[in-house]
């Protein structure tokens, strides 16, 4: 029996990785999608370390280190107990801007509480020895308000240029009206210091009827957030119900309308919103009808795709694709839908230090994908 040369080369590990990659078309040319790692259980958040390795969370409550060649570490010890059920578990993770010296990471998760769960934000030090683990783990923020029975935790983290942390918080699905209530944290974006304190310039500091951590409110379930590379201003996207997924630029103290205004309908086909606009409530810079179920967001600033510099990329769960959006300042223009034949729920999107676009796929056999020009 004659064995084809390419099979022999594959068995010996001699084929270049891109020879095994999937290829997809785009307006910038063919894209190569390489599976760097697989076998992850519903991976949720990805953060790059200075040496090119990655921290990847798995929703059931595991944190792993993934090497550039795809090797998975054992689950790191030190992760707090999570409420792993429904949409809840271990969610986003980011490395501190000063990680090279501080070894600090921040992560958010569905924290068990009596009768339900809530979003919590923690900081820890990554001890990266022979057996990596988290040390000095401290919860620095806990969401206050009615608990979640399993849905709409939000839980994306962005560290601003000043070091402060933005955290997106869902309205727990069954408590959607609380997104308009400043006396709790449901349906809000909050802003805290790296130690969890309240920055003195937060918009509701000093108001007795409002939580001082709140940055903006009237959000539904934001699972994508990123800083604009030029302005340093926060952008976020959130799930609508049936239709009405939104991209917003959440400014201090502003109300983004949920559930009073919006562009979707309820899952039973009934009307939710009083209107699509109302004085005192902000309009999205983009919305999708029908829903794509967005998750993960990244601005592209690398050199591998020069035509895409400054574009915004958004993953999609329900639509199973990657969205590319062209920007003109704070206006969104053309949309291109990529990787539609991948047939994977895209959970996270990151611009890697190598200039590639990195993705996490949300499944019981989740993958880390690297997207480059072919």
């Amino acid at each position: 029996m004659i064995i084809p040369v390419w099979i022999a080369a594959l068995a010996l590990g001699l084929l270049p990785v891109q020879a095994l990659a999937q290829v997809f078309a785009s307006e910038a040319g063919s894209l190569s999608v390489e599976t760097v790692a697989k076998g992850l259980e519903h991976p949720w958040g990805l953060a790059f370390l200075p040496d090119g390795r990655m921290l990847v969370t798995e929703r059931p409550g595991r944190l792993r280190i993934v090497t550039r060649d795809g090797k998975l570490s054992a689950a790191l010890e030190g992760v707090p107990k999570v409420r792993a059920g429904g949409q809840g578990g271990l969610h986003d993770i980011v490395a501190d801007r000063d990680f090279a010296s501080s070894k600090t990471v921040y992560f958010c998760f569905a924290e068990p509480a009596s009768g339900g769960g809530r979003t919590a934000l923690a900081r820890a030090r990554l001890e990266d020895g022979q057996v990596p683990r988290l040390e000095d783990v401290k919860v620095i923020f806990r969401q206050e308000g009615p608990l979640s029975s399993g849905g709409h935790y939000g839980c994306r983290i962005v560290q601003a240029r000043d070091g402060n942390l933005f955290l997106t918080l869902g309205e727990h699905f069954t408590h959607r009206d609380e997104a308009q209530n400043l006396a709790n944290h449901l349906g809000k974006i909050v802003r805290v210091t790296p130690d969890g304190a309240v920055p003195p310039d937060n918009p509701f500091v000093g108001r007795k009827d409002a939580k001082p951590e709140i940055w903006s409110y009237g959000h539904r379930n934001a699972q994508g957030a990123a800083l604009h590379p030029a302005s340093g201003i926060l952008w976020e996207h959130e799930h609508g119900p049936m239709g009405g997924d939104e991209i917003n630029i959440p400014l201090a103290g502003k109300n983004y309308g949920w559930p009073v205004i919006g562009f979707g309908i309820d899952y039973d086909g009934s009307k939710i919103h009083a209107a699509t606009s109302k004085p005192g409530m902000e309009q999205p810079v983009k919305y999708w009808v029908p829903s794509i179920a967005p998750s993960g967001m990244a601005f592209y600033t690398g050199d591998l795709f020069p035509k895409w510099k400054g574009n915004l990329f958004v993953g999609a769960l329900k639509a199973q694709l990657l969205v590319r959006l062209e920007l003109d300042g704070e206006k969104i223009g053309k949309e291109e839908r990529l990787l539609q034949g991948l047939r994977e729920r895209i959970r996270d999107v990151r611009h890697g230090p190598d200039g590639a676009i990195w993705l996490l796929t949300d499944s019981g056999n989740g993958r880390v994908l690297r997207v480059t020009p072919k």
Side-chain angles (χ1 to χ4, degrees):
M1 178 180 178
I2 299 175
I3 300 175
V5 172
W6 72 269
I7 293 180
L10 175 60
L12 295 171
L14 300 178
L15 278 182
V17 173
Q18 283 208 340
L20 307 178
Q22 294 175 269
V23 178
F24 297 89
S26 82
E27 293 181 5
S30 295
L31 305 178
S32 173
V33 180
E34 162 199 354
T35 298
V36 174
K38 58 184 178 180
L40 293 155
E41 187 175 358
H42 295 284
W44 215 97
L46 182 154
F48 286 96
L49 299 175
D51 61 5
R53 293 177 303 158
M54 294 156 275
L55 294 170
V56 176
T57 64
E58 292 176 278
R59 199 173 67 202
R62 292 183 292 271
L63 172 63
R64 298 184 188 273
I65 294 177
V66 181
T67 63
R68 177 60 188 84
D69 58 359
K71 294 178 182 177
L72 302 180
S73 75
L76 274 62
E77 294 185 6
V79 176
K81 183 179 180 180
V82 307
R83 190 175 194 269
Q87 297 174 1
L90 182 59
H91 294 148
D92 205 13
I93 187 163
V94 300
D96 186 79
R97 297 174 70 87
D98 193 30
F99 177 86
S101 59
S102 71
K103 306 301 180 187
T104 297
V105 297
Y106 307 95
F107 59 94
C108 61
F109 60 102
E111 182 181 52
S114 179
R118 61 192 172 201
T119 302
L121 174 65
R123 63 175 287 155
R125 187 180 73 254
L126 178 63
E127 284 296 327
D128 194 12
Q130 189 172 2
V131 182
R133 59 174 288 112
L134 297 181
E135 294 281 5
D136 298 332
V137 178
K138 180 183 179 183
V139 174
I140 60 173
F141 170 83
R142 286 184 169 94
Q143 184 181 31
E144 295 182 21
L147 298 175
S148 172
S149 59
H152 292 199
Y153 289 97
C155 216
R156 284 291 177 196
I157 308 165
V158 173
Q159 187 172 32
R161 291 174 179 175
D162 61 6
N164 289 322
L165 302 168
F166 291 106
L167 173 66
T168 69
L169 300 170
E171 32 69 292
H172 296 169
F173 185 60
T174 55
H175 302 289
R176 64 191 184 196
D177 290 342
E178 297 300 321
Q180 292 293 316
N181 183 1
L182 292 173
N184 64 49
H185 296 124
L186 273 65
K188 314 299 192 299
I189 294 175
V190 296
R191 177 178 178 249
V192 297
T193 70
D195 293 322
V198 176
D201 58 344
N202 270 9
F204 297 106
V205 168
R207 279 185 52 169
K208 293 182 179 180
D209 63 339
K211 292 294 183 185
E213 298 90 355
I214 295 173
W215 177 259
S216 60
Y217 65 109
H219 301 287
R220 186 172 183 264
N221 186 26
Q223 293 187 341
L227 291 184
H228 190 283
S231 68
I233 292 174
L234 180 70
W235 289 47
E236 63 88 24
H237 66 58
E238 57 196 75
H239 295 274
M242 290 182 65
D245 302 334
E246 295 181 356
I247 295 179
N248 293 296
I249 304 174
L251 302 178
K254 299 294 186 179
N255 181 355
Y256 290 82
W258 176 259
V260 180
I261 63 172
F263 295 89
I265 57 175
D266 213 339
Y267 296 104
D268 61 4
S270 63
K271 185 178 179 181
I272 297 176
H273 312 293
T276 57
S277 64
K278 186 177 180 179
M281 295 183 178
E282 306 303 310
Q283 287 290 293
V285 293
K286 182 177 177 62
Y287 65 90
W288 284 277
V289 176
S291 293
I292 64 168
S295 186
M297 170 188 278
F299 290 94
Y300 186 76
T301 58
D303 295 322
L304 283 183
F305 299 99
K307 293 182 179 179
W308 289 352
K309 275 200 171 184
N311 287 189
L312 180 63
F313 288 83
V314 173
L317 299 169
K318 178 183 176 181
Q320 299 185 338
L321 49 81
L322 179 67
V323 173
R324 180 182 68 86
L325 298 168
E326 297 179 3
L327 305 182
D328 180 8
E330 294 185 346
K331 294 181 179 180
I332 293 179
K334 184 177 181 180
E335 172 180 327
E336 182 182 12
R337 298 194 168 194
L338 304 167
L339 314 186
Q340 294 187 70
L342 191 63
R343 296 184 177 87
E344 290 272 17
R345 289 162 52 88
I346 305 300
R347 172 60 73 182
D348 201 8
V349 183
R350 302 287 175 173
H351 171 212
D354 59 352
I357 297 168
W358 291 74
L359 310 173
L360 293 181
T361 67
D362 178 34
S363 74
N365 184 23
R367 295 189 283 165
V368 179
L369 303 179
R370 180 175 180 260
V371 183
T372 58
K374 185 177 183 301

